[in-house]
C-alpha cells in the first residue's frame, strides 16, 4: 500500500513539471534608435521663474544624434529681456524610449549648461525640458527655474 501511495505522489509531482504557461512575447520593437528618431529642432517658449520674478522668452532646443547609441547632443538656446537669464549651451544627454515618446537627461551639474536637466518628448513631437540654475545678477546670486515647452519643426 505504501508503494502505491508513493507512486501516486511521485506521478502527481511529475505531472506539475509538464504544465507550462503560454508564450508571453510582450517585447516592443522600435523602428529606429531613440537618438535618431528624436533628432531635430524644437521651437517654443521658455519660462524662467524665481521666488520674486518670472519672465518668458523664445528659444530652441536642437537634438543631434551622436555615434554612441542612446546618446544625443542637446543644444539649448533661450533669449530673455534680462540678458543675465539668457542660455546658450550644448551638452550630451542619455536618451531612451518612454511610452510612445522619449526621455532624455544629464544630471551632472558639471555639464556645459552648468545644471542637470531632464526632458520628455511625446508621440506628437511636443517637448518639455526643465532645469534649475544659479544666476548672478549684479552682486546677488539667484536660483531660477527654467522650463521649456515646444514642438518639433
Amino acid at each position: 500500500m505504501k508503494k502505491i501511495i508513493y507512486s501516486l505522489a511521485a506521478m502527481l509531482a511529475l505531472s506539475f513539471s509538464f504544465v507550462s504557461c503560454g508564450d508571453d512575447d510582450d517585447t516592443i520593437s522600435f523602428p529606429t534608435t531613440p537618438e535618431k528618431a528624436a533628432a531635430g529642432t524644437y521651437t517654443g517658449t521658455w519660462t524662467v521663474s524665481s521666488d520674486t520674478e518670472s519672465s518668458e522668452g523664445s528659444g530652441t532646443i536642437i537634438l543631434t544624434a551622436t555615434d554612441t547609441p542612446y546618446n544625443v547632443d542637446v543644444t539649448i538656446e533661450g533669449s530673455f529681456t534680462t540678458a543675465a537669464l539668457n542660455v546658450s549651451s550644448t551638452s550630451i544627454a542619455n536618451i531612451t524610449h518612454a511610452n510612445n515618446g522619449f526621455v532624455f537627461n544629464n544630471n551632472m551639474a558639471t555639464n556645459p549648461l552648468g545644471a542637470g536637466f531632464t526632458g520628455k518628448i511625446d508621440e506628437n513631437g511636443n517637448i518639455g525640458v526643465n532645469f534649475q540654475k544659479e544666476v548672478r545678477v549684479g552682486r546677488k546670486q539667484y536660483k531660477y527655474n527654467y522650463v521649456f515647452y515646444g514642438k518639433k519643426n
Side-chain angles (χ1 to χ4, degrees):
M1 187 66 157
K2 280 186 179 179
K3 220 179 196 183
I4 293 172
I5 293 174
Y6 286 128
S7 296
L8 287 173
M11 287 174 66
L12 181 64
L14 282 174
S15 70
F16 287 115
S17 66
F18 294 113
V19 176
S20 67
C21 297
D23 187 17
D24 290 339
D25 194 12
D26 292 338
T27 57
I28 299 172
S29 63
F30 296 102
T32 184
T33 57
E35 69 276 6
K36 292 177 183 169
T41 301
Y42 299 81
T43 306
T45 303
W46 283 99
T47 303
V48 180
S49 60
S50 70
D51 291 339
T52 59
E53 64 180 301
S54 181
S55 179
E56 282 195 359
S58 61
T60 59
I61 293 184
I62 301 169
L63 300 182
T64 308
T66 66
D67 293 334
T68 305
Y70 298 97
N71 282 316
V72 68
D73 283 332
V74 179
T75 301
I76 295 174
E77 300 282 340
S79 297
F80 303 93
T81 54
T82 304
L85 299 178
N86 291 347
V87 289
S88 178
S89 180
T90 299
S91 181
I92 195 161
N94 297 319
I95 188 167
T96 189
H97 291 281
N99 299 323
N100 292 326
F102 310 96
V103 292
F104 58 94
N105 69 355
N106 182 333
N107 291 324
M108 300 194 57
T110 57
N111 69 46
L113 179 62
F117 62 90
T118 59
K120 182 176 181 176
I121 304 168
D122 68 15
E123 65 273 7
N124 299 318
N126 298 312
I127 189 171
V129 175
N130 63 351
F131 60 91
Q132 187 177 64
K133 189 172 181 176
E134 289 192 16
V135 176
R136 179 175 294 281
V137 178
R139 292 184 174 199
K140 293 192 174 188
Q141 192 90 357
Y142 298 97
K143 280 190 180 182
Y144 286 95
N145 295 312
Y146 287 76
V147 178
F148 178 83
Y149 290 109
K151 186 155 184 71
K152 190 172 188 177
N153 295 344

